[in-house]
Every structure is written in structure tokens, then in C-alpha cells.
Amino acid sequence: MSVAVALFTRDLRVHDNPALTAAARAADQVVPLFVVDEALVPDRCPPNRAHFLAAALAELDTALRDRGGALVVRRGSVIDEVARVVDETGATSVHLADDVSYYSGKRERALRERLGGAVHCHAGSVTATSTELAPSTGRDHFAVFTPYFRRWIEVHRRSPLPVPRALSVPSVGSDPVPTGSDLSSGEPSPELTVGGETTARALLDDWLDGPIDHYARDNDDLGADATSRLSAHLHFGCLSPTEVVRRVDATTEGGLAFARQLAWRDFHHQVLAARPDAAWSDYRRRAPLGPADDRVFADWRDGRTGYPIVDAAMRQLRAEGWLPGRARLIAASFLTKSLRQDWRLGARHFLHWLVDADVANNQLNWQWAAGTGTDTRPNRVLNPVRQADRYDPDGTYVRRWLPELAHLPGARIHRPWRENVDPATYPEPIIDCVGR
Ligand SMILES: Cc1cc2nc3c(=O)[nH]c(=O)nc-3n(C[C@H](O)[C@H](O)[C@H](O)COP(=O)(O)OP(=O)(O)OC[C@H]3O[C@@H](n4cnc5c(N)ncnc54)[C@H](O)[C@@H]3O)c2cc1C
């Protein structure tokens, strides 16, 4: 009996999974393997992602069992454990999804060094690879989104792959599927969403069945909560991005607006693939920052800036481990442009809390907001009060997260300094952004 290993990384699904399909086609038996990287758990793994990951692994195990298989879990160094499983089962090939981060590149190189030509990487984490979508200028990546999107929308995408009908797994030792607490020592956000392919597919079906139609109109309306909330499922690969794009009808207004956001995901991935240093270094040089100020950073982090729209965002981040895009932008712009603090501080804080935290999307969106990234208007500053008036006109969003201001009617909630609110109840603004 021939054996192949399907190494799951950020592709925790059985639908449209190129690595799993390739392993099933390459051999009679497949080891569906997940390695819990001991270098990261439990102390270096943020709790929100740990709990989402654990739930996604449990759903993956169930989906594999439904097809006659089961998830094989090992704990240790990824390279050592893959090599051990290859030795124990006599596997002749190892299949995994491609990725763009520095860590994943290092992992792939180390696997190839250890196992040589047996290692096969399959495109699957973005919907258009840099090879399919290279700029005509000869550069190694697109640095501006609009021309990228014009080409992206035209790319021919393969049909989603079918789920392997039956899987046979050789006899090989496995640890139990880890729980969230096995993976992280910290407490997750109280309103954290649940991870996993079955959950994600139901969410996607519901989304495509109606709410997407209003996406173009409502996606920035903070009170309406009208975005898909698919980001963590895309991050962990509970959904295939290619399948999502294929299922979106981009001839409709809502579908096109939604596809455009999915293109941003691919765009940032191709920037990071070409410039891995952009994870922590400025993509473009920028005017000097203000002096580092621990106190204003702490006020921003803890939602005590005195600007309700910013503070509401920072509270939602902690409560849910997730934020709508507009709220992320307002919070990031406030820290970097209004308070003139280093984007890396904010990016690190988001990486800790966001359940969808992603090196490509988080770091490059932070750079975009800070003016060091791919924004073609790097000096624009988002005024938090104008943003609040525009994207939370009746104050619904702020009222949801700042109950201490809930008595202020309509848009008056965005200017508590005009309302005689006791500073012991809600702080005065830490800087003047509006020329009060
Ligand atoms: C400062 C900052 C940090 C961010 N950090 C992350 C992060 O760590 N992980 C992450 O997935 N997204 C990040 N984003 C992008 C975006 O805000 C989230 O993807 C989105 O809010 C997730 O909610 P949703 O799934 O409802 O999105 P929807 O509005 O429904 O969009 C659909 C999908 O498109 C993709 N997408 C949407 N906007 C962007 C964008 N600007 N860049 C890249 N992809 C996008 C996401 O995969 C998202 O799930 C960040 C944005 C900012 C401004």
C-alpha cells in the first residue's frame, strides 16, 4: 500500500483542498496530519486564535471521520514530526498548501532540506498567484491596488475540487485533537466566534443567500454589522478563497464590492510574498513619527481616548476578537496619524487579539493606515468625529459598546465633551482632533 501525507497548516477543510486532493490521488492511503508546533504553545499562542483553531481542528477531524479517515495530531517540531510520520508509514510524498509568511517559507525550506523531492506545495491560500498575475512592468509585484484589481477580476480560476469520497488512513499514533486550553494559557474573548469548516460553510451559504446584496451600500455602516464575518474562516482555510470567489456573482453590485475586498486579501499576500520584510519594516519610508508615548498608547489600547468611536472599536476588539474593517481603519489611523505612534505597536496589539490575525493582512493594512504602505494618499488623516458622523450616524455602534454613554441621543454620543459627562464616567479627549 502506498502512503502520502497531507500536512494541514492554514487549510483546515476537506472541500476544495488541493493538498489533500493531491495526497489522495498520489497514494492508496493518506495521513491527514496536523502538527501542534511546540515552539508556540501554550505561551506564545494568542488565546482567541488558539480556541478558534481547536474548534476548527475538531470539525476537520469529524469531516475526515465521515469519510473513513481521522485527523492525526502530533506535537513537537513540525519538521521532526513530519519526518517521523514519513518514517513510520513509509510515505513517499508530503503535500501542503503554499503560504507567504516568513515562517511558512522557512518551514517549507526546512521540509525540503529534510525530505527532498517528496515535498509538494499546492497553490490554495489565495485565488490568484503571483505567477498568474504578474505586472506587465516587469516588477515582482503590484504596489498599487487598482491596477491589480483590474487584472485580478479577469483571472480565470479553476473549478473547486471535489471532496475526497473515501479516505484510508494507515495505522499511526496520534495525540488527541487539542482543546483551546491545550494550545494557549490565556483566556479568550467572551464573545469569540466558533471556528470550523461546517460552521464556515453555513455562514457562507447564508451570506450569499441575501446579505451580500446590500454589501456595497452597507459594508461601512458600523451599526448595521453588515459584513460577512468570514475573515477568520478564510485565515485558517476553513473556506477555500477560490471557492468563495467562484461562488460570488460579481455581475451584481454587492457581489462586485465583496469580490473587491477578497482581492485586497490576495493583493496583500502578493506584496508580502515579494517583500517579506514588510511584516515589520516600513514598506515605504515616511516622515518621522512623534516621540513614543506609553501613556497615549495605553489609552488607545484600553479604549480611553475620549473619542467614542475609537474606544468602542477597542472594546469590541477585546470582547469579540474581531472588528469590522471600518472600525479597524479608524482605530489604526487614530493611533498612527492622530497620536503619531509607530504602527508596529498597534499591529502587535491587533495580532494578539484578532481571531483572523494574519501577517499579510494585518501588517499591510496597518502600513496602509499609517501611510508607510500602499496607500496612494499616504498623508490622509481620518478625523475620528467625522468618521463617526459618517459611518455611525445615529450612534448605534458606539451605544452598543459604550453603555456609559448610551443615554446620549443620536449623533450627540460622538461628542460627549459637549454633554457635561463626568470624566470619571467617560474620559475627556486625550488630544484635540476637532478644534473644540
Ligand atoms: C488596521 C487593519 C488591520 C487588519 N487586520 C486584518 C487581519 O489581521 N486579518 C484579516 O483577515 N483582515 C484584516 N484587515 C482587513 C479587514 O478589515 C478584515 O478582513 C475584515 O474587516 C474582516 O471582516 P469580514 O470578514 O466581515 O470582511 P468583509 O468586509 O465581509 O470582507 C470579505 C473578506 O475580504 C477580505 N478583506 C476585506 N477587507 C480587506 C482588507 N482591507 N485587506 C485584506 N483583506 C480584506 C477578508 O478576507 C474578508 O473576510 C485589517 C484591516 C485594517 C484596517
Short mmCIF file of all heavy atoms in Angstrom, two decimals, residues 207 215 219 225-232 234-235 257-269 322-333 350-351 354-369, ligand 1:
data_model
loop_
_atom_site.label_atom_id
_atom_site.label_comp_id
_atom_site.label_asym_id
_atom_site.label_seq_id
_atom_site.Cartn_x
_atom_site.Cartn_y
_atom_site.Cartn_z
N TRP A 207 -24.70 34.02 3.86
CA TRP A 207 -24.21 35.31 3.35
C TRP A 207 -24.57 35.48 1.88
O TRP A 207 -25.08 36.53 1.46
CB TRP A 207 -22.70 35.38 3.57
CG TRP A 207 -22.03 36.56 2.94
CD1 TRP A 207 -21.19 36.55 1.85
CD2 TRP A 207 -22.14 37.93 3.34
NE1 TRP A 207 -20.79 37.82 1.56
CE2 TRP A 207 -21.34 38.69 2.45
CE3 TRP A 207 -22.83 38.58 4.34
CZ2 TRP A 207 -21.22 40.06 2.55
CZ3 TRP A 207 -22.71 39.97 4.45
CH2 TRP A 207 -21.91 40.69 3.56
N TYR A 215 -24.21 44.58 0.43
CA TYR A 215 -22.84 44.82 0.88
C TYR A 215 -22.28 46.17 0.38
O TYR A 215 -21.68 46.91 1.15
CB TYR A 215 -21.94 43.67 0.44
CG TYR A 215 -20.52 43.77 0.96
CD1 TYR A 215 -20.23 43.45 2.28
CD2 TYR A 215 -19.50 44.21 0.14
CE1 TYR A 215 -18.93 43.56 2.77
CE2 TYR A 215 -18.20 44.32 0.61
CZ TYR A 215 -17.92 43.99 1.93
OH TYR A 215 -16.64 44.10 2.40
N ASN A 219 -21.56 48.08 3.81
CA ASN A 219 -20.40 47.44 4.45
C ASN A 219 -19.65 48.36 5.42
O ASN A 219 -18.98 47.88 6.34
CB ASN A 219 -19.45 46.82 3.42
CG ASN A 219 -18.63 47.85 2.70
OD1 ASN A 219 -17.57 48.24 3.13
ND2 ASN A 219 -19.16 48.35 1.58
N ASP A 225 -23.67 46.23 11.09
CA ASP A 225 -22.95 44.95 11.20
C ASP A 225 -23.21 44.13 9.93
O ASP A 225 -23.70 42.99 10.00
CB ASP A 225 -23.45 44.20 12.45
CG ASP A 225 -22.48 43.09 12.85
OD1 ASP A 225 -21.45 42.93 12.18
OD2 ASP A 225 -22.77 42.37 13.82
N ALA A 226 -22.89 44.71 8.78
CA ALA A 226 -23.36 44.15 7.52
C ALA A 226 -22.23 43.57 6.66
O ALA A 226 -22.32 43.53 5.44
CB ALA A 226 -24.10 45.23 6.74
N THR A 227 -21.15 43.12 7.33
CA THR A 227 -20.10 42.45 6.57
C THR A 227 -20.19 40.94 6.80
O THR A 227 -20.95 40.48 7.65
CB THR A 227 -18.70 42.98 6.95
OG1 THR A 227 -18.42 42.61 8.31
CG2 THR A 227 -18.62 44.50 6.83
N SER A 228 -19.40 40.17 6.07
CA SER A 228 -19.60 38.71 6.06
C SER A 228 -19.11 37.99 7.31
O SER A 228 -19.54 36.89 7.59
CB SER A 228 -18.87 38.12 4.86
OG SER A 228 -17.47 38.21 5.06
N ARG A 229 -18.17 38.56 8.01
CA ARG A 229 -17.51 37.91 9.17
C ARG A 229 -16.88 36.58 8.76
O ARG A 229 -16.85 35.63 9.55
CB ARG A 229 -18.49 37.71 10.32
CG ARG A 229 -18.89 39.03 10.99
CD ARG A 229 -19.76 38.78 12.20
NE ARG A 229 -20.06 40.00 12.93
CZ ARG A 229 -19.63 40.27 14.16
NH1 ARG A 229 -18.83 39.42 14.79
NH2 ARG A 229 -19.96 41.38 14.78
N LEU A 230 -16.35 36.53 7.56
CA LEU A 230 -15.71 35.28 7.10
C LEU A 230 -14.20 35.30 7.29
O LEU A 230 -13.52 34.31 7.00
CB LEU A 230 -16.03 35.07 5.62
CG LEU A 230 -17.49 34.72 5.28
CD1 LEU A 230 -17.70 34.71 3.77
CD2 LEU A 230 -17.87 33.36 5.87
N SER A 231 -13.65 36.42 7.77
CA SER A 231 -12.19 36.58 7.73
C SER A 231 -11.42 35.49 8.47
O SER A 231 -10.41 34.99 7.96
CB SER A 231 -11.80 37.96 8.27
OG SER A 231 -12.43 38.20 9.52
N ALA A 232 -11.87 35.10 9.66
CA ALA A 232 -11.11 34.08 10.41
C ALA A 232 -11.20 32.73 9.70
O ALA A 232 -10.23 31.97 9.67
CB ALA A 232 -11.63 33.98 11.84
N LEU A 234 -11.44 32.35 6.53
CA LEU A 234 -10.51 32.42 5.40
C LEU A 234 -9.07 32.32 5.89
O LEU A 234 -8.23 31.68 5.27
CB LEU A 234 -10.72 33.72 4.62
CG LEU A 234 -11.97 33.72 3.74
CD1 LEU A 234 -12.37 35.13 3.32
CD2 LEU A 234 -11.75 32.85 2.50
N HIS A 235 -8.80 32.95 7.02
CA HIS A 235 -7.43 32.91 7.54
C HIS A 235 -6.99 31.47 7.84
O HIS A 235 -5.88 31.07 7.51
CB HIS A 235 -7.30 33.76 8.80
CG HIS A 235 -6.00 33.54 9.50
ND1 HIS A 235 -4.80 33.99 8.97
CD2 HIS A 235 -5.69 32.87 10.63
CE1 HIS A 235 -3.81 33.60 9.77
NE2 HIS A 235 -4.33 32.92 10.77
N ALA A 257 -18.59 44.38 -5.10
CA ALA A 257 -17.97 45.06 -3.95
C ALA A 257 -17.32 44.04 -3.02
O ALA A 257 -16.22 44.25 -2.49
CB ALA A 257 -19.02 45.87 -3.20
N PHE A 258 -17.98 42.91 -2.83
CA PHE A 258 -17.44 41.86 -1.96
C PHE A 258 -16.19 41.23 -2.59
O PHE A 258 -15.17 41.03 -1.91
CB PHE A 258 -18.53 40.82 -1.71
CG PHE A 258 -18.13 39.75 -0.75
CD1 PHE A 258 -17.87 40.06 0.59
CD2 PHE A 258 -17.99 38.44 -1.15
CE1 PHE A 258 -17.49 39.07 1.49
CE2 PHE A 258 -17.61 37.44 -0.25
CZ PHE A 258 -17.36 37.76 1.06
N ALA A 259 -16.26 40.96 -3.89
CA ALA A 259 -15.10 40.38 -4.59
C ALA A 259 -13.90 41.32 -4.47
O ALA A 259 -12.76 40.88 -4.30
CB ALA A 259 -15.44 40.14 -6.05
N ARG A 260 -14.17 42.61 -4.53
CA ARG A 260 -13.09 43.59 -4.42
C ARG A 260 -12.36 43.46 -3.07
O ARG A 260 -11.14 43.57 -3.00
CB ARG A 260 -13.70 44.99 -4.57
CG ARG A 260 -12.72 46.08 -4.80
CD ARG A 260 -13.46 47.42 -4.94
NE ARG A 260 -12.52 48.49 -4.71
CZ ARG A 260 -11.72 49.00 -5.62
NH1 ARG A 260 -11.78 48.58 -6.84
NH2 ARG A 260 -10.86 49.95 -5.31
N GLN A 261 -13.12 43.19 -2.01
CA GLN A 261 -12.47 43.02 -0.69
C GLN A 261 -11.65 41.74 -0.67
O GLN A 261 -10.56 41.70 -0.10
CB GLN A 261 -13.52 43.00 0.42
CG GLN A 261 -14.23 44.31 0.63
CD GLN A 261 -13.29 45.50 0.65
OE1 GLN A 261 -13.28 46.29 -0.28
NE2 GLN A 261 -12.51 45.65 1.69
N LEU A 262 -12.16 40.69 -1.32
CA LEU A 262 -11.39 39.45 -1.38
C LEU A 262 -10.10 39.67 -2.18
O LEU A 262 -9.06 39.06 -1.89
CB LEU A 262 -12.22 38.33 -2.01
CG LEU A 262 -13.43 37.88 -1.18
CD1 LEU A 262 -14.38 37.04 -2.02
CD2 LEU A 262 -12.99 37.10 0.07
N ALA A 263 -10.18 40.58 -3.14
CA ALA A 263 -8.97 40.89 -3.93
C ALA A 263 -7.93 41.59 -3.07
O ALA A 263 -6.72 41.40 -3.25
CB ALA A 263 -9.34 41.75 -5.13
N TRP A 264 -8.38 42.41 -2.10
CA TRP A 264 -7.42 43.06 -1.19
C TRP A 264 -6.62 42.00 -0.44
O TRP A 264 -5.43 42.17 -0.17
CB TRP A 264 -8.16 43.93 -0.17
CG TRP A 264 -8.39 45.34 -0.61
CD1 TRP A 264 -9.57 45.90 -0.98
CD2 TRP A 264 -7.40 46.38 -0.70
NE1 TRP A 264 -9.38 47.22 -1.30
CE2 TRP A 264 -8.06 47.54 -1.14
CE3 TRP A 264 -6.02 46.44 -0.47
CZ2 TRP A 264 -7.40 48.76 -1.34
CZ3 TRP A 264 -5.36 47.65 -0.66
CH2 TRP A 264 -6.04 48.79 -1.09
N ARG A 265 -7.29 40.92 -0.08
CA ARG A 265 -6.61 39.83 0.63
C ARG A 265 -5.47 39.27 -0.24
O ARG A 265 -4.33 39.13 0.21
CB ARG A 265 -7.66 38.76 0.97
CG ARG A 265 -7.13 37.60 1.75
CD ARG A 265 -8.26 36.63 2.11
NE ARG A 265 -7.69 35.49 2.82
CZ ARG A 265 -7.16 34.45 2.21
NH1 ARG A 265 -7.13 34.38 0.89
NH2 ARG A 265 -6.63 33.48 2.93
N ASP A 266 -5.80 38.97 -1.49
CA ASP A 266 -4.77 38.45 -2.41
C ASP A 266 -3.67 39.49 -2.64
O ASP A 266 -2.49 39.17 -2.73
CB ASP A 266 -5.40 38.08 -3.76
CG ASP A 266 -6.20 36.78 -3.69
OD1 ASP A 266 -6.27 36.17 -2.62
OD2 ASP A 266 -6.77 36.39 -4.73
N PHE A 267 -4.10 40.75 -2.77
CA PHE A 267 -3.15 41.84 -3.04
C PHE A 267 -2.08 41.90 -1.94
O PHE A 267 -0.89 41.93 -2.20
CB PHE A 267 -3.92 43.17 -3.12
CG PHE A 267 -3.04 44.38 -3.25
CD1 PHE A 267 -2.41 44.69 -4.44
CD2 PHE A 267 -2.85 45.24 -2.15
CE1 PHE A 267 -1.60 45.82 -4.56
CE2 PHE A 267 -2.05 46.37 -2.26
CZ PHE A 267 -1.42 46.66 -3.46
N HIS A 268 -2.55 41.88 -0.68
CA HIS A 268 -1.58 41.96 0.42
C HIS A 268 -0.69 40.72 0.47
O HIS A 268 0.49 40.82 0.81
CB HIS A 268 -2.32 42.13 1.75
CG HIS A 268 -2.94 43.49 1.92
ND1 HIS A 268 -2.31 44.65 1.57
CD2 HIS A 268 -4.15 43.86 2.40
CE1 HIS A 268 -3.10 45.68 1.83
NE2 HIS A 268 -4.23 45.23 2.32
N HIS A 269 -1.25 39.58 0.12
CA HIS A 269 -0.43 38.37 0.11
C HIS A 269 0.68 38.47 -0.94
O HIS A 269 1.81 38.07 -0.68
CB HIS A 269 -1.30 37.13 -0.13
CG HIS A 269 -1.99 36.63 1.11
ND1 HIS A 269 -3.04 37.30 1.69
CD2 HIS A 269 -1.76 35.56 1.90
CE1 HIS A 269 -3.44 36.66 2.78
NE2 HIS A 269 -2.67 35.60 2.93
N TRP A 322 -12.58 40.47 17.11
CA TRP A 322 -12.88 40.80 15.71
C TRP A 322 -13.41 42.22 15.64
O TRP A 322 -13.99 42.71 16.62
CB TRP A 322 -13.95 39.83 15.17
CG TRP A 322 -14.33 40.08 13.75
CD1 TRP A 322 -13.72 39.57 12.63
CD2 TRP A 322 -15.40 40.91 13.27
NE1 TRP A 322 -14.33 40.05 11.50
CE2 TRP A 322 -15.37 40.87 11.86
CE3 TRP A 322 -16.37 41.70 13.90
CZ2 TRP A 322 -16.27 41.58 11.08
CZ3 TRP A 322 -17.27 42.42 13.12
CH2 TRP A 322 -17.22 42.34 11.72
N LEU A 323 -13.21 42.86 14.49
CA LEU A 323 -13.71 44.22 14.26
C LEU A 323 -14.09 44.36 12.80
O LEU A 323 -13.41 43.79 11.94
CB LEU A 323 -12.58 45.24 14.48
CG LEU A 323 -12.23 45.75 15.85
CD1 LEU A 323 -11.10 46.77 15.73
CD2 LEU A 323 -13.44 46.41 16.47
N PRO A 324 -15.13 45.15 12.48
CA PRO A 324 -15.37 45.45 11.07
C PRO A 324 -14.23 46.30 10.51
O PRO A 324 -13.57 47.04 11.25
CB PRO A 324 -16.69 46.24 11.10
CG PRO A 324 -16.91 46.67 12.50
CD PRO A 324 -16.09 45.79 13.39
N GLY A 325 -14.05 46.21 9.20
CA GLY A 325 -12.91 46.89 8.57
C GLY A 325 -12.88 48.38 8.85
O GLY A 325 -11.83 48.95 9.13
N ARG A 326 -14.03 49.05 8.78
CA ARG A 326 -14.05 50.50 9.00
C ARG A 326 -13.56 50.84 10.41
O ARG A 326 -12.82 51.79 10.61
CB ARG A 326 -15.48 51.02 8.76
CG ARG A 326 -15.71 52.48 9.00
CD ARG A 326 -14.80 53.44 8.24
NE ARG A 326 -14.77 53.22 6.82
CZ ARG A 326 -14.01 53.92 5.96
NH1 ARG A 326 -13.21 54.89 6.40
NH2 ARG A 326 -14.02 53.64 4.68
N ALA A 327 -13.97 50.03 11.40
CA ALA A 327 -13.54 50.30 12.78
C ALA A 327 -12.02 50.07 12.92
O ALA A 327 -11.34 50.81 13.64
CB ALA A 327 -14.31 49.40 13.75
N ARG A 328 -11.50 49.06 12.22
CA ARG A 328 -10.04 48.83 12.26
C ARG A 328 -9.31 50.05 11.70
O ARG A 328 -8.30 50.49 12.26
CB ARG A 328 -9.67 47.60 11.41
CG ARG A 328 -10.26 46.32 11.93
CD ARG A 328 -9.83 45.10 11.11
NE ARG A 328 -10.77 44.01 11.36
CZ ARG A 328 -10.47 42.72 11.35
NH1 ARG A 328 -9.25 42.32 11.09
NH2 ARG A 328 -11.38 41.81 11.58
N LEU A 329 -9.85 50.57 10.61
CA LEU A 329 -9.20 51.70 9.95
C LEU A 329 -9.22 52.94 10.83
O LEU A 329 -8.22 53.65 10.95
CB LEU A 329 -9.97 51.96 8.64
CG LEU A 329 -9.22 52.57 7.49
CD1 LEU A 329 -7.91 51.84 7.22
CD2 LEU A 329 -10.11 52.53 6.25
N ILE A 330 -10.36 53.20 11.45
CA ILE A 330 -10.47 54.39 12.31
C ILE A 330 -9.50 54.26 13.49
O ILE A 330 -8.76 55.20 13.82
CB ILE A 330 -11.93 54.56 12.82
CG1 ILE A 330 -12.87 54.87 11.65
CG2 ILE A 330 -12.02 55.65 13.90
CD1 ILE A 330 -14.36 54.84 12.02
N ALA A 331 -9.46 53.08 14.12
CA ALA A 331 -8.59 52.88 15.28
C ALA A 331 -7.11 52.98 14.87
O ALA A 331 -6.29 53.59 15.57
CB ALA A 331 -8.87 51.52 15.92
N ALA A 332 -6.79 52.41 13.71
CA ALA A 332 -5.38 52.41 13.26
C ALA A 332 -4.94 53.81 12.86
O ALA A 332 -3.83 54.25 13.17
CB ALA A 332 -5.22 51.44 12.10
N SER A 333 -5.83 54.52 12.18
CA SER A 333 -5.49 55.87 11.76
C SER A 333 -5.31 56.77 12.98
O SER A 333 -4.40 57.61 13.03
CB SER A 333 -6.59 56.40 10.84
OG SER A 333 -6.36 57.75 10.56
N PHE A 350 -3.16 44.24 17.74
CA PHE A 350 -4.18 43.56 16.92
C PHE A 350 -3.82 42.09 16.72
O PHE A 350 -4.69 41.23 16.75
CB PHE A 350 -4.30 44.25 15.55
CG PHE A 350 -5.30 45.38 15.50
CD1 PHE A 350 -5.56 46.19 16.60
CD2 PHE A 350 -6.01 45.65 14.34
CE1 PHE A 350 -6.47 47.23 16.54
CE2 PHE A 350 -6.94 46.69 14.25
CZ PHE A 350 -7.17 47.47 15.35
N LEU A 351 -2.53 41.81 16.50
CA LEU A 351 -2.13 40.41 16.29
C LEU A 351 -2.47 39.56 17.51
O LEU A 351 -2.79 38.39 17.39
CB LEU A 351 -0.62 40.29 16.03
CG LEU A 351 -0.11 40.62 14.63
CD1 LEU A 351 1.40 40.44 14.56
CD2 LEU A 351 -0.76 39.75 13.55
N LEU A 354 -6.91 39.78 17.50
CA LEU A 354 -7.76 39.42 16.35
C LEU A 354 -7.77 37.92 16.12
O LEU A 354 -6.71 37.29 16.01
CB LEU A 354 -7.27 40.10 15.07
CG LEU A 354 -7.60 41.56 14.87
CD1 LEU A 354 -6.92 42.07 13.59
CD2 LEU A 354 -9.11 41.80 14.79
N VAL A 355 -8.96 37.36 15.98
CA VAL A 355 -9.06 35.92 15.69
C VAL A 355 -8.65 35.65 14.24
O VAL A 355 -8.19 34.55 13.93
CB VAL A 355 -10.49 35.41 16.00
CG1 VAL A 355 -11.53 36.08 15.13
CG2 VAL A 355 -10.59 33.91 15.87
N ASP A 356 -8.75 36.67 13.37
CA ASP A 356 -8.34 36.48 11.98
C ASP A 356 -6.92 37.00 11.74
O ASP A 356 -6.51 37.17 10.60
CB ASP A 356 -9.33 37.17 11.03
CG ASP A 356 -9.45 38.69 11.28
OD1 ASP A 356 -8.50 39.30 11.76
OD2 ASP A 356 -10.54 39.24 11.00
N ALA A 357 -6.18 37.29 12.82
CA ALA A 357 -4.89 37.97 12.68
C ALA A 357 -4.00 37.24 11.68
O ALA A 357 -3.79 36.04 11.77
CB ALA A 357 -4.19 38.06 14.02
N ASP A 358 -3.48 38.02 10.79
CA ASP A 358 -2.83 37.47 9.63
C ASP A 358 -1.66 38.39 9.30
O ASP A 358 -1.87 39.60 9.21
CB ASP A 358 -3.91 37.54 8.53
CG ASP A 358 -3.50 36.93 7.24
OD1 ASP A 358 -2.53 37.40 6.64
OD2 ASP A 358 -4.19 36.00 6.85
N VAL A 359 -0.49 37.84 9.13
CA VAL A 359 0.68 38.71 8.92
C VAL A 359 0.48 39.58 7.68
O VAL A 359 0.71 40.79 7.71
CB VAL A 359 1.98 37.88 8.81
CG1 VAL A 359 3.17 38.77 8.49
CG2 VAL A 359 2.23 37.13 10.10
N ALA A 360 0.00 38.98 6.59
CA ALA A 360 -0.15 39.77 5.36
C ALA A 360 -1.22 40.85 5.55
O ALA A 360 -0.96 42.04 5.33
CB ALA A 360 -0.53 38.85 4.19
N ASN A 361 -2.39 40.47 5.98
CA ASN A 361 -3.50 41.43 6.04
C ASN A 361 -3.34 42.42 7.18
O ASN A 361 -3.65 43.60 7.04
CB ASN A 361 -4.83 40.70 6.20
CG ASN A 361 -5.25 40.02 4.93
OD1 ASN A 361 -4.82 40.42 3.85
ND2 ASN A 361 -6.04 38.99 5.05
N ASN A 362 -2.90 41.95 8.32
CA ASN A 362 -2.80 42.87 9.45
C ASN A 362 -1.67 43.88 9.23
O ASN A 362 -1.89 45.09 9.26
CB ASN A 362 -2.57 42.09 10.74
CG ASN A 362 -2.71 42.98 11.96
OD1 ASN A 362 -3.74 43.61 12.18
ND2 ASN A 362 -1.66 43.08 12.74
N GLN A 363 -0.47 43.35 8.97
CA GLN A 363 0.67 44.27 8.90
C GLN A 363 0.51 45.25 7.73
O GLN A 363 0.79 46.43 7.86
CB GLN A 363 1.98 43.49 8.76
CG GLN A 363 2.18 42.38 9.79
CD GLN A 363 2.05 42.83 11.22
OE1 GLN A 363 0.94 42.85 11.76
NE2 GLN A 363 3.15 43.19 11.86
N LEU A 364 0.03 44.75 6.58
CA LEU A 364 -0.01 45.64 5.42
C LEU A 364 -1.19 46.61 5.49
O LEU A 364 -1.12 47.72 4.97
CB LEU A 364 0.02 44.84 4.13
CG LEU A 364 1.41 44.19 3.97
CD1 LEU A 364 1.42 43.12 2.89
CD2 LEU A 364 2.48 45.24 3.68
N ASN A 365 -2.27 46.22 6.18
CA ASN A 365 -3.34 47.19 6.41
C ASN A 365 -2.88 48.24 7.42
O ASN A 365 -3.23 49.42 7.30
CB ASN A 365 -4.61 46.51 6.91
CG ASN A 365 -5.51 46.07 5.75
OD1 ASN A 365 -5.97 46.90 4.98
ND2 ASN A 365 -5.71 44.77 5.62
N TRP A 366 -2.13 47.83 8.41
CA TRP A 366 -1.59 48.81 9.35
C TRP A 366 -0.68 49.78 8.61
O TRP A 366 -0.73 51.00 8.83
CB TRP A 366 -0.83 48.12 10.51
CG TRP A 366 -1.74 47.89 11.68
CD1 TRP A 366 -2.41 46.74 11.98
CD2 TRP A 366 -2.11 48.85 12.68
NE1 TRP A 366 -3.18 46.94 13.10
CE2 TRP A 366 -3.01 48.21 13.56
CE3 TRP A 366 -1.77 50.18 12.92
CZ2 TRP A 366 -3.58 48.86 14.66
CZ3 TRP A 366 -2.34 50.83 14.02
CH2 TRP A 366 -3.23 50.17 14.87
N GLN A 367 0.15 49.25 7.73
CA GLN A 367 1.05 50.15 6.98
C GLN A 367 0.23 51.07 6.07
O GLN A 367 0.57 52.24 5.89
CB GLN A 367 2.01 49.31 6.14
CG GLN A 367 2.97 48.48 6.98
CD GLN A 367 4.40 48.64 6.52
OE1 GLN A 367 4.84 49.74 6.18
NE2 GLN A 367 5.15 47.55 6.53
N TRP A 368 -0.85 50.55 5.51
CA TRP A 368 -1.72 51.37 4.66
C TRP A 368 -2.26 52.54 5.49
O TRP A 368 -2.21 53.70 5.09
CB TRP A 368 -2.86 50.50 4.12
CG TRP A 368 -3.64 51.11 3.00
CD1 TRP A 368 -3.41 50.92 1.66
CD2 TRP A 368 -4.75 52.00 3.10
NE1 TRP A 368 -4.32 51.64 0.92
CE2 TRP A 368 -5.17 52.31 1.78
CE3 TRP A 368 -5.45 52.56 4.16
CZ2 TRP A 368 -6.24 53.16 1.50
CZ3 TRP A 368 -6.52 53.41 3.89
CH2 TRP A 368 -6.89 53.69 2.58
N ALA A 369 -2.76 52.22 6.68
CA ALA A 369 -3.34 53.25 7.55
C ALA A 369 -2.29 54.25 8.01
O ALA A 369 -2.57 55.45 8.14
CB ALA A 369 -4.01 52.60 8.75
C1 LIG B 1 -5.57 48.00 10.68
C2 LIG B 1 -6.21 46.82 9.99
C3 LIG B 1 -5.85 45.53 10.34
C4 LIG B 1 -6.42 44.43 9.69
N1 LIG B 1 -6.04 43.15 10.06
C5 LIG B 1 -6.54 42.08 9.40
C6 LIG B 1 -6.15 40.76 9.75
O1 LIG B 1 -5.29 40.55 10.62
N2 LIG B 1 -6.72 39.72 9.10
C7 LIG B 1 -7.67 39.92 8.11
O2 LIG B 1 -8.16 38.94 7.53
N3 LIG B 1 -8.02 41.15 7.73
C8 LIG B 1 -7.51 42.24 8.34
N4 LIG B 1 -7.91 43.51 7.99
C9 LIG B 1 -8.77 43.66 6.81
C10 LIG B 1 -10.28 43.74 7.08
O3 LIG B 1 -10.54 44.75 7.99
C11 LIG B 1 -10.85 42.41 7.59
O4 LIG B 1 -10.52 41.37 6.72
C12 LIG B 1 -12.38 42.48 7.65
O5 LIG B 1 -12.76 43.55 8.47
C13 LIG B 1 -12.93 41.17 8.19
O6 LIG B 1 -14.31 41.23 8.33
P1 LIG B 1 -15.27 40.49 7.31
O7 LIG B 1 -14.84 39.09 7.11
O8 LIG B 1 -16.66 40.72 7.75
O9 LIG B 1 -14.96 41.29 5.98
P2 LIG B 1 -15.81 41.59 4.66
O10 LIG B 1 -15.99 43.05 4.58
O11 LIG B 1 -17.01 40.75 4.59
O12 LIG B 1 -14.79 41.20 3.50
C14 LIG B 1 -14.69 39.87 2.98
C15 LIG B 1 -13.29 39.36 3.09
O13 LIG B 1 -12.42 40.14 2.28
C16 LIG B 1 -11.14 40.21 2.91
N5 LIG B 1 -10.84 41.62 3.21
C17 LIG B 1 -11.72 42.61 3.45
N6 LIG B 1 -11.06 43.79 3.63
C18 LIG B 1 -9.76 43.53 3.49
C19 LIG B 1 -8.57 44.31 3.55
N7 LIG B 1 -8.59 45.65 3.78
N8 LIG B 1 -7.40 43.69 3.42
C20 LIG B 1 -7.33 42.37 3.18
N9 LIG B 1 -8.41 41.57 3.09
C21 LIG B 1 -9.60 42.15 3.24
C22 LIG B 1 -11.22 39.40 4.21
O14 LIG B 1 -10.74 38.11 3.94
C23 LIG B 1 -12.72 39.40 4.48
O15 LIG B 1 -13.13 38.30 5.24
C24 LIG B 1 -7.36 44.62 8.64
C25 LIG B 1 -7.71 45.94 8.31
C26 LIG B 1 -7.16 47.02 8.96
C27 LIG B 1 -7.54 48.41 8.54
#
